[in-house]
Amino acid sequence: MTTEQPTARPAPTRLWCERLVTPVGERRGVLLTLADGRVADLQPVAAPPADVERVAGWTVPGFVDTHGHGGGGHDYATLDVDEARAARAFHRAHGTTTALASLVTADLDTLVAQIGTLAPLVRTGELAGLHLEGPFLSPAKKGAHTESLLVPPTPEAVDRLLEAGDGTLGMVTIAPELPGALAAIARFVAGGVAVAVGHTDGDETDARRALDAGATVATHLFNAMRPIHHREPGPVPVLLADERVVVELIGDGFHLHRDVVAMAVDAAGLDRVALITDAMVATGMPDGGYTLGGLDVVVRHGEARLVEADGSPGSIAGSTLTMAAGFAFLVSLGLSIPGAAHLAASTPARRHGLEGRGTIEVGGAADLCVVDDAGRLQRVLQDGVWV
């Protein structure tokens, strides 16, 4: 994997980790040997050797964010590759060692151009793939997407995006009740692209049909989809219960109440929940005015909302969350550090087929985050180099 790396410190070759989260659980006192950006060896050693760098606290897999739009004042929806790299660097510093870049709804010409800008970053490994969150969304659940640019997933539109991506598309969000949606889901899946059910006003039947057609992800579960009613359940119970689905949760305590996050994790289990940020350009920036997909956004107390015609705050417009903050939020709910690592790294990596990512094991990427007992990020290592 080729990425831009800091050069101020030499890459460590051996680390002694006080507490290490591996695919089989927590291990104490582990000596990691790193080579060529990979984990070359992993051995129990009770005490740190004198010539080895000691890592206190918890060493967990580097975070994997499969849904984020930008951060640090920078946007992935751009024709400037350096702008995209700056957004990636911001989230890397906050623990995201693997990321899909999400694009909001735009006209097809613009999306194709944006894909063309980002695709080289996928091919060099700086990004793990691209996520198209639009334009195949329900106008009734559009959220922070421009309604006039929403279109049905016609075969022509689907094929044009697949051709533009040329193997770099990792995921596309589709409202399954739209005309042609089921055929589009099958076409994307056949093209190697994961399909997510989201921004949907469809019901439980629409959700089941989407899964049978090949959809395997729920875009930010609960948000921008028909809510649960005791006589009209909608898509949420289906997506929570079906073993084929990984459900995204925005772990900021604003998009979802703490109790709802805990309920969803209990219902789906650690192997089917992916922590995401849905972060936008304002992440890590002061409160104020920003844009998302050409729409005006106001951020107050770290909460991003669209600006209505009268100037008042409207629908939620992405988040200002980092994976580091999301990880600590999960721990604050009572999740163990290994449990939070499942949601922030292992599960999204495995469900999206990101081999060598999301776990700490021999042969895997030397992508690590160090957190304290409260889940607060202390250090980040990517490809064997401290960030």
Side-chain angles (χ1 to χ4, degrees):
M1 178 174 177
T2 303
T3 53
E4 292 184 354
Q5 299 292 355
T7 57
R9 299 182 60 186
T13 56
R14 293 196 298 168
L15 299 172
W16 184 85
C17 302
E18 184 179 36
R19 304 176 84 169
L20 185 77
V21 174
T22 74
V24 295
E26 174 196 353
R27 296 177 61 177
R28 293 183 179 235
V30 176
L31 181 64
L32 288 182
T33 301
L34 312 178
D36 299 323
R38 318 295 290 185
V39 177
D41 195 24
L42 187 156
Q43 295 292 336
V45 175
D51 60 342
V52 170
E53 183 173 356
R54 174 174 179 168
V55 180
W58 293 82
T59 302
V60 301
F63 304 146
V64 178
D65 187 6
T66 56
H67 186 159
H69 298 275
H74 306 284
D75 202 335
Y76 285 131
T78 180
L79 302 183
D80 180 354
V81 70
D82 289 332
E83 169 91 356
R85 282 197 173 105
R88 180 71 191 93
F90 170 84
H91 283 289
R92 183 185 296 115
H94 290 82
T96 301
T97 55
T98 301
L100 265 63
S102 300
L103 297 176
V104 296
T105 295
D107 63 84
L108 288 183
D109 288 344
T110 298
L111 277 176
V112 166
Q114 291 171 348
I115 291 169
T117 300
L118 299 179
L121 302 185
V122 179
R123 296 190 179 100
T124 60
E126 294 175 73
L127 293 169
L130 308 180
H131 165 216
L132 303 182
E133 191 182 12
F136 310 132
L137 312 178
S138 165
K141 297 295 180 182
K142 63 182 183 299
H145 293 258
T146 303
E147 183 170 351
S148 63
L149 297 177
L150 300 178
V151 297
T154 63
E156 295 77 16
V158 170
D159 285 345
R160 187 174 180 202
L161 292 173
L162 281 170
E163 181 180 358
D166 191 24
T168 64
L169 299 184
M171 182 167 62
V172 59
T173 297
I174 295 180
E177 72 274 20
L178 296 178
L182 300 182
I185 291 170
R187 178 71 182 94
F188 274 117
V189 172
V193 181
V195 174
V197 175
H199 286 274
T200 172
D201 197 35
D203 61 15
E204 61 279 7
T205 300
D206 293 313
R208 288 193 182 94
R209 288 173 176 164
L211 303 187
D212 290 341
T216 54
V217 184
T219 292
H220 42 51
L221 190 74
F222 299 104
N223 296 118
M225 62 178 59
R226 185 182 293 198
I228 297 175
H229 184 277
H230 56 283
R231 286 190 299 275
E232 299 175 359
V236 171
V238 173
L239 298 171
L240 268 178
D242 197 301
E243 292 293 327
R244 294 173 289 183
V245 181
V246 59
V247 297
E248 298 179 348
L249 297 179
I250 304 173
D252 60 0
F254 169 53
H255 281 76
L256 301 173
H257 190 278
R258 296 168 61 90
D259 293 346
V260 173
V261 174
M263 178 194 71
V265 174
D266 286 344
L270 299 179
D271 291 331
R272 291 189 45 240
V273 176
L275 173 70
I276 62 161
T277 64
D278 197 16
M280 49 89 73
V281 63
T283 306
M285 303 296 287
D287 284 359
Y290 297 89
T291 60
L292 178 64
L295 299 175
D296 290 332
V297 175
V298 61
V299 177
R300 295 177 181 170
H301 309 296
E303 298 173 354
R305 290 185 178 273
L306 292 180
V307 178
E308 297 291 350
D310 62 0
S312 63
S315 298
I316 297 175
S319 87
T320 60
L321 183 67
T322 63
M323 287 294 283
F327 190 95
F329 173 79
L330 293 176
V331 175
S332 78
L333 297 180
L335 228 61
S336 66
I337 298 290
H342 252 83
L343 273 60
S346 304
T347 295
R350 179 173 52 81
R351 288 284 184 158
H352 284 271
L354 304 175
E355 302 234 351
R357 310 287 164 179
T359 63
I360 302 174
E361 55 189 333
V362 173
D367 292 350
L368 315 171
C369 287
V370 181
V371 300
D372 63 15
D373 288 340
R376 294 176 297 230
L377 184 67
Q378 307 297 305
R379 305 177 75 184
V380 182
L381 184 98
Q382 181 172 28
D383 292 337
V385 179
W386 290 114
V387 176

